[in-house]
Amino acid sequence: MLAGIKVEWLKLRRSRISMITTVLVGIGVPALTAGFLAAATRGPADTPLAIKVNALLIGEGWPAYLGMLAQILSVMSFLGVGFVVAWCFGREFTDHTITGLYALPTSRITIAAAKYVVLLAWSLGLSLITLAAAFTLAPLAGLPAPPTDVLEPAAKVLAVGVNGALLAYPLAFIASAARGYLPAVAGLILIVVITQILTVLGIGAWVPYAATSLWAGMGGPAAAATIAPHHLALIPLTAAAGVASTLWWWRRMQVA
């Protein structure tokens, strides 16, 4: 397992898609949030941008800043990690190197498990980078030094980032079963569309892919209050089902 983790970490570290995602999510999302907050608080309140941003703000100051960051991150974490998961599990099929895995002493299920371990570590690091960048860029939004009661909204940002990453893990099964990363990307887009439809129908709380965003406040304080712990518990269960099905597929996988 350790050898597999080292190899998969080397692949991920040197891949362009992981570097681009780290920059876009880890730095781009906090920068966008700081810019939005500055536009809403410093500029005219009747501009189209200020009106749209104010709809995302709950409270003021640091809680509003971190709350808006959590809302944006709930979407961007799933999208960003989703692309990386699709690439990580689909690249061997697309590059036609999958047959080489059968000659390795490390079993295929161990390789798949190593991929998930590396993705989990990278996802946690991405959430931490995003939060650290948010604190660093906070002065651009005109915020003072963070108060002592900022720990709770900061922890929520981390939880939202991790939840978004966990929800991307089932895409590995699509990439594996369909033998390529493009079907997984198509699955990601389909999940986003279906989630939007189910949320409009009023059952978003029971949809793991919508529950995180609603809990972060994207639907407003009233919608966030409807998200209970059992709704959020569906997120790790969804990730676990995706991991289990992917490992099962890699254990039984045959060369096409």
Side-chain angles (χ1 to χ4, degrees), residues 50-112:
I51 294 174
K52 293 180 180 179
V53 171
N54 283 323
L56 298 175
L57 295 178
I58 300 176
E60 57 184 16
W62 275 94
Y65 174 58
L66 294 177
M68 182 164 58
L69 175 64
Q71 294 177 52
I72 300 175
L73 185 61
S74 67
V75 177
M76 293 304 298
S77 177
F78 170 64
L79 293 177
V81 177
F83 280 111
V84 176
V85 170
W87 174 86
C88 185
F89 281 87
R91 63 174 297 275
E92 281 89 0
F93 300 99
T94 303
D95 296 342
H96 304 289
T97 60
I98 188 66
T99 54
L101 299 183
Y102 288 81
L104 296 177
T106 305
S107 65
R108 296 185 304 278
I109 190 172
T110 301
I111 294 174

